[in-house]
Amino acid sequence: MIILAFLPIVGFAQKYELSGKVIDKTMDYPLEYASISAKSLEDGSIVNGGVTNRQGEFSIMLEKGTYDLEIEYISFEVKKINNFTITEDTDLGTIKLGAKTDSLDEVTVVAETTQVEVRLDKKIYNVGKDLTTSGGTVSDALGNVPSVTVDIDGAISLRGNSNVRILINGKPSSIAGFGDQDVFQQLPANAIESVEVITSPSARYDAEGTAGIINIILKREKTLGFNGSIRGTLGDPKNSGAFADLNLRTDNFNVFTSLGFTDRVSPGNSFSDIRYTGNSNFDRIIENREFDRTGQNFNVNAGVEYFIDEMSSITASFFTRLGDDRDVSTNINRRFDDGVENSTTERIEEELEEDERYQYALNYEKRFDKENRDHKLTADLQYSNSDETKTAIINENQTIPVDSLVAFQDNLETEFEEGFLIQADYVLPIGDAQFEAGFRGDYEDQTQGFLVQRRNLETGELVTDEFVSSDFNFTQNVTAVYTQFGDKMGKFSYLLGLRYENTQLKGNTIPLVPENFDRSFDFDKNFDGLFPTVNLVYELGEDENVTLGYNRRINRPRSWYLNPFPSQSSRINVFQGNPDLNPSFANAFDLGYLKRWEKLTLTSSMYYQRETDAFERVERDTGRLTEEDGIPIIENIPINLSTEERYGAEVGVLYNPVKWLRTNLSFNYFKFETEGSFEGISYGATNESYFGRFSSNIILPGKIQWQTNAFYRGPRQNAQTETDPIASVDLGFSKDFLKEENLTVSLNVRDLFNSRKRDQFTVTENFTSTTSSQWRVRQVTATVVYRFNQQKKDQRRGGGEDYDESEF
């Protein structure tokens, strides 16, 4: 009934077919999914429209009359045909579009259907269509973006720096988990339209994130009528899911929704060998862990956009994710003295997690100039919350020399977060120049409860641990205003900006028994900062330019870095936050070069960053022993180091020699040097590493697509730990069916050789450790997609742009 209510009324007037073909005039390639619009001469409203198919062809129906026609393709010049009169079926023939070269802040790189949009302050990659991540998660898709890496814990890094700010549709979001990136391992990759990699952010963006910003743009269909797609996946280990993307657009409304349900099993494993010096109880501990993670997740992203008139609109949207996860970890711990195994324990930890996230958003957009759609005001109001409950039963038994109970623990962890966002942005074009100004208020509150009960081995009763159980309340308020101005003078373009941010960090820790502690862990910190940005572009030619960027950034510690009470995931390896941790500040420079030939595109850059009070996680022997069996407790805590300097270079090559072959090669080298000490111990270090990717997409006979992604990461080292190199390969195959190619079947294998593992060696004053971790084993996934009333979008991209070690 809702759909019928929004459907346009079909008249009985005679209609004629308007057809044609759209191609790239430089490379003579058809442009799939270019849009064609026929507009009314009276008010400029869209009468009818459509999109091109994979051959670049289109066909729309129009009543007899006169219209203004517009043919558009993202980052290409718009083709306009004014006062076009149709009185019979008409073929416009071949329409050639050229890449934009006179825009204020963008230069476009196009190679067949692989598209990279390079702007003054960011690069835009269309992802989510990669064959090797079909049926995968957002983490998998992000791992295919150049310059981005995703480690086994789900932490996202940009150019080797983990302090990256994640935005959803340009704003902080509960979808991103208030900074908790684990959520990206649950959301489906097919929800993404594109990813913006912003290594030199302009003043309009948050100053948070010393590495830069990754902005994830979610899908929203813009084609008139009712259309959508349905997707199903099956995988081994278990990876089943069902998804639907539905869209209804009329002249006055655009109703959109994305639904998804996943049921996944992610087995993994780890190994560690710790050798102690000066310990009288044990001199060696070997630990083997097996992870069995299962999860069922349901997510909805829905909304409606109402076009008040041709110059303004209002959009209301809603997002929710409901998660029900179960993780079982089995840990075999063998202890040695002088080479003799004198005790062995088996620790089984079962964790149940229920997670609910909600987000409500309201957006208003007002345009002031029909001839220049960039003159506009936008306002956003957003409320987000998440409610998470974890229960964990930990049961540890000794098997050698005798069977006995060593420890039993019952943990309850609750976490509630809510955030308010208020934002307004104004853009005023002034000839070729552009002025912008805006405000953002981002206010977050978090409450964590932690209750730990241990079984008394003598009485068998559960006793509350008074030295660990606690409540932690955390508040982060960020208020910002910005202004920026850009202009183009001949071949030279610039964008100058200044952002002011005020940050308030407040923490209140309430131990279960406060008198057990001789200090207060509360803090209330306030920081003001000015963050200038400079972005310059000089065009050496129509397809060649040089860019230079500078920006100042801030890294604010998140709540888990500030909570002073220790985690309970292991009795001997404990992570503990540091309430004395302060934000760090960085100055970053980026020099880039881009050159495009007929069949080859080259992008490259060199970068340098200097960060003060940089964060570093250090391991230390606490000097304490576990009460049950006297094992030394190793603590992992974050600290502020004095300085960290990073510099590096990256290069990317898109080469499409023939229509049936597309290749993509990228390489990134980085090095950083840290200086600083903690508790009299120097943690200064020099670390250099690199990673490279190669992707190829081959069209086989029968129009079968074959994609290969290969990844290699070189060794790494910090003050205490050396990490071995990593190499992996992914494969994907795809075939279209039905007359309109509306049905696509794909099969992919992630980590073909099961080699995505992290091997590390750590040296400290009191112990050395050798570890190996594999977050997820090799996975095979089959996906079926059916589209209705829409053309297939860019499924043939050149290797999905790149690949990384996502979730090894």
Side-chain angles (χ1 to χ4, degrees):
M1 293 177 62
I2 295 175
I3 293 173
L4 291 175
F6 287 124
L7 287 176
I9 298 175
V10 179
F12 295 96
Q14 178 68 43
K15 292 188 176 182
Y16 301 101
E17 180 184 29
L18 179 67
S19 59
K21 183 176 182 178
V22 183
I23 67 171
D24 178 345
K25 74 175 183 180
T26 303
M27 307 180 70
D28 288 332
Y29 287 140
L31 294 178
E32 179 185 0
Y33 211 67
S35 65
I36 296 86
S37 303
K39 297 184 176 181
S40 167
L41 296 182
E42 297 180 0
D43 57 9
S45 62
I46 297 177
V47 177
N48 199 6
V51 294
T52 58
N53 60 19
R54 65 189 306 173
Q55 286 78 38
E57 299 167 347
F58 68 89
S59 175
I60 62 174
M61 302 302 294
L62 292 173
E63 295 180 3
K64 180 180 178 179
T66 303
Y67 306 91
D68 286 339
L69 305 181
E70 288 189 4
I71 299 93
E72 299 179 85
Y73 190 74
I74 185 171
S75 301
F76 276 66
E77 296 175 342
V78 178
K79 177 71 172 181
K80 295 184 178 181
I81 305 176
N82 294 327
N83 297 312
F84 174 81
T85 300
I86 185 169
T87 57
E88 59 183 357
D89 292 344
T90 305
D91 185 354
L92 294 177
T94 300
I95 301 169
K96 297 182 178 181
L97 299 185
K100 290 181 181 178
T101 58
D102 58 352
S103 178
L104 167 66
D105 67 345
E106 62 185 79
V107 177
T108 304
V109 182
V110 178
E112 199 174 0
T113 56
T114 296
Q115 183 172 307
V116 182
E117 187 178 343
V118 182
R119 297 192 178 184
L120 270 170
D121 57 352
K122 60 188 172 186
K123 295 179 182 178
I124 302 175
Y125 300 93
N126 291 316
V127 299
K129 304 292 188 280
D130 183 6
L131 299 183
T132 60
T133 62
S134 181
T137 66
V138 170
S139 286
D140 297 328
L142 290 177
N144 285 0
V145 175
S147 308
V148 179
T149 57
V150 184
D151 70 12
I152 67 169
D153 301 316
I156 300 166
S157 298
L158 184 59
R159 291 174 169 176
N161 187 346
S162 61
N163 181 228
V164 57
R165 177 67 158 165
I166 309 293
L167 301 177
I168 305 294
N169 294 331
K171 298 179 286 292
S173 171
S174 67
I175 305 177
F178 296 102
D180 178 6
Q181 298 170 356
D182 291 344
V183 68
F184 294 127
Q185 300 180 45
Q186 309 297 334
L187 294 176
N190 67 291
I192 300 178
E193 180 69 29
S194 62
V195 173
E196 298 177 350
V197 177
I198 311 171
T199 53
S200 183
S202 67
R204 73 165 68 94
Y205 295 103
D206 288 346
E208 170 74 23
T210 56
I213 294 172
I214 296 176
N215 185 24
I216 299 173
I217 307 299
L218 300 182
K219 287 181 180 177
R220 185 185 301 181
E221 183 61 62
K222 298 181 180 180
T223 306
L224 286 173
F226 180 61
N227 56 80
S229 65
I230 300 173
R231 178 185 305 256
T233 63
L234 285 175
D236 181 38
K238 185 179 182 180
N239 179 19
S240 57
F243 312 94
D245 295 307
L246 306 174
N247 200 94
L248 172 65
R249 178 156 183 163
T250 70
D251 290 337
N252 296 322
F253 288 93
N254 184 31
V255 183
F256 55 92
T257 183
S258 294
L259 310 173
F261 174 78
T262 60
D263 187 0
R264 290 191 175 98
V265 175
S266 300
N269 57 82
S270 70
F271 166 85
S272 68
D273 186 351
I274 305 175
R275 298 174 184 266
Y276 297 92
T277 58
N279 177 36
S280 59
N281 296 302
F282 310 101
D283 57 20
R284 184 184 185 187
I285 297 178
I286 296 177
E287 185 177 83
N288 285 281
R289 300 182 70 181
E290 297 288 337
F291 306 100
D292 185 13
R293 296 179 298 271
T294 62
Q296 295 180 335
N297 290 272
F298 174 73
N299 58 273
V300 178
N301 183 32
V304 56
E305 181 178 9
Y306 173 65
F307 305 101
I308 301 172
D309 52 44
E310 63 176 355
M311 303 297 291
S312 59
S313 67
I314 187 168
T315 303
S317 61
F318 166 74
F319 168 83
T320 184
R321 185 179 80 90
L322 307 177
D324 188 1
D325 301 329
R326 177 179 180 267
D327 296 351
V328 178
S329 173
T330 303
N331 186 338
I332 306 297
N333 198 298
R334 303 164 60 202
R335 294 176 276 280
F336 297 83
D337 188 20
D338 290 333
V340 177
E341 183 177 357
N342 57 19
S343 67
T344 298
T345 59
E346 180 183 59
R347 176 185 175 97
I348 299 177
E349 178 178 351
E350 180 179 8
E351 181 180 271
L352 303 178
E353 178 180 348
E354 294 182 358
D355 186 12
E356 298 180 3
R357 299 174 188 266
Y358 300 93
Q359 178 176 293
Y360 309 87
L362 194 64
N363 168 267
Y364 172 75
E365 182 174 301
K366 171 66 176 177
R367 300 183 184 275
F368 300 96
D369 190 344
K370 291 185 178 181
E371 302 300 324
N372 192 333
R373 296 179 62 84
D374 289 333
H375 185 195
K376 62 182 179 180
L377 170 70
T378 58
D380 294 274
L381 181 64
Q382 179 177 289
Y383 170 75
S384 305
N385 69 59
S386 69
D387 194 351
E388 185 177 353
T389 301
K390 293 181 181 179
T391 58
I393 300 296
I394 302 173
N395 194 351
E396 188 163 354
N397 290 275
Q398 186 181 80
T399 58
I400 297 176
V402 295
D403 291 336
S404 62
L405 177 66
V406 174
F408 180 90
Q409 193 169 318
D410 187 351
N411 299 337
L412 173 62
E413 184 176 354
T414 60
E415 183 176 301
F416 179 78
E417 298 177 80
E418 63 178 352
F420 295 89
L421 176 72
I422 304 172
Q423 179 174 331
D425 298 277
Y426 176 69
V427 180
L428 173 64
I430 309 173
D432 288 336
Q434 185 166 289
F435 168 80
E436 294 183 44
F439 165 86
R440 174 180 287 180
D442 189 6
Y443 311 111
E444 300 177 14
D445 287 291
Q446 180 183 45
T447 300
Q448 292 179 334
F450 201 29
L451 178 64
V452 177
Q453 298 183 87
R454 305 180 191 273
R455 175 161 293 169
N456 187 307
L457 299 183
E458 295 181 358
T459 65
E461 295 180 342
L462 281 178
V463 179
T464 300
D465 190 332
E466 300 176 350
F467 291 89
V468 175
S469 302
S470 64
D471 290 331
F472 179 64
N473 301 315
F474 175 69
T475 298
Q476 176 179 284
N477 296 326
V478 180
T479 304
V481 293
Y482 80 90
T483 183
Q484 63 182 23
F485 181 81
D487 197 1
K488 181 173 183 179
M489 299 176 292
K491 296 183 176 181
F492 176 72
S493 301
Y494 66 88
L495 184 62
L496 309 177
L498 182 64
R499 187 180 186 90
Y500 163 80
E501 289 192 354
N502 172 264
T503 301
Q504 183 184 38
L505 302 177
K506 296 178 64 176
N508 173 233
T509 303
I510 308 172
L512 184 64
V513 183
E515 52 266 27
N516 288 339
F517 301 89
D518 57 2
R519 60 160 293 189
S520 171
F521 298 103
D522 297 348
F523 57 87
D524 188 349
K525 304 176 182 181
N526 201 293
F527 302 89
D528 292 296
L530 289 174
F531 301 92
T533 62
V534 179
N535 288 288
L536 311 174
V537 173
Y538 182 75
E539 297 179 8
L540 301 174
E542 183 177 353
D543 298 310
E544 184 179 18
N545 69 73
V546 176
T547 61
L548 177 64
Y550 161 77
N551 60 93
R552 185 170 185 256
R553 313 291 297 163
I554 184 174
N555 181 10
R556 303 181 184 93
R558 302 301 299 179
S559 62
W560 58 85
Y561 262 32
L562 297 168
N563 190 339
F565 282 81
S567 67
Q568 298 296 300
S569 59
S570 172
R571 286 196 300 127
I572 61 174
N573 292 287
V574 176
F575 175 80
Q576 185 168 346
N578 178 8
D580 296 324
L581 202 64
N582 290 319
S584 63
F585 295 86
N587 291 281
F589 299 85
D590 190 290
L591 177 64
Y593 172 75
L594 179 147
K595 172 66 176 177
R596 176 186 171 196
W597 292 271
E598 182 179 356
K599 297 182 178 181
L600 185 147
T601 299
L602 170 69
T603 60
S604 61
S605 65
M606 296 185 296
Y607 49 90
Y608 169 79
Q609 176 181 293
R610 187 175 189 274
E611 183 175 353
T612 57
D613 288 330
F615 300 165
E616 180 72 56
R617 287 174 59 162
V618 300
E619 292 185 47
R620 63 178 180 177
D621 189 340
T622 63
R624 304 192 308 272
L625 303 177
T626 58
E627 296 179 2
E628 294 87 352
D629 45 15
I631 302 176
I633 298 176
I634 298 172
E635 184 180 60
N636 188 312
I637 64 170
I639 63 170
N640 286 113
L641 285 181
S642 57
T643 61
E644 177 180 277
E645 290 186 300
R646 288 179 175 264
Y647 47 91
E650 59 183 351
V651 61
V653 176
L654 296 172
Y655 180 51
N656 306 313
V658 290
K659 290 186 177 181
W660 55 267
L661 173 63
R662 293 174 297 280
T663 63
N664 189 340
L665 176 67
S666 66
F667 180 81
N668 193 308
Y669 164 84
F670 56 90
K671 182 177 182 178
F672 65 85
E673 299 176 352
T674 58
E675 295 181 359
S677 61
F678 179 68
E679 296 182 343
I681 301 175
S682 174
Y683 289 95
T686 298
N687 179 17
E688 62 180 337
S689 187
Y690 55 89
F691 57 87
R693 304 180 176 95
F694 173 77
S695 301
S696 68
N697 195 312
I698 300 173
I699 301 178
L700 300 172
K703 295 185 179 180
I704 297 174
Q705 296 182 63
W706 168 22
Q707 181 176 312
T708 303
N709 286 348
F711 169 81
Y712 179 83
R713 180 166 188 166
R716 294 171 290 163
Q717 181 177 354
N718 62 19
Q720 295 178 309
T721 303
E722 296 178 2
T723 304
D724 290 345
I726 298 170
S728 64
V729 175
D730 293 349
L731 293 180
F733 298 89
S734 175
K735 168 67 177 174
D736 296 331
F737 297 92
L738 303 183
K739 183 178 179 180
E740 299 296 329
E741 298 184 338
N742 288 336
L743 180 69
T744 302
V745 178
S746 62
L747 177 71
N748 65 60
V749 183
R750 291 187 57 79
D751 194 12
L752 177 65
F753 301 108
N754 206 35
S755 58
R756 199 169 299 150
K757 301 178 181 180
R758 181 174 64 187
D759 297 326
Q760 294 182 314
F761 180 67
T762 299
V763 178
T764 72
E765 183 178 357
N766 300 316
F767 67 90
T768 62
S769 69
T770 302
T771 61
S772 178
S773 302
Q774 184 176 27
W775 181 253
R776 188 177 63 186
V777 299
R778 175 177 49 232
Q779 188 164 53
V780 181
T781 303
T783 303
V784 178
V785 182
Y786 177 73
R787 294 167 294 278
F788 56 93
N789 298 334
Q790 67 173 208
Q791 299 292 334
K792 180 185 175 187
K793 302 180 187 177
D794 258 358
Q795 196 89 0
R796 300 177 294 148
R797 4 193 39 82
E801 285 304 7
D802 281 323
Y803 172 68
D804 184 48
E805 70 206 64
S806 170
E807 269 192 293
F808 58 81

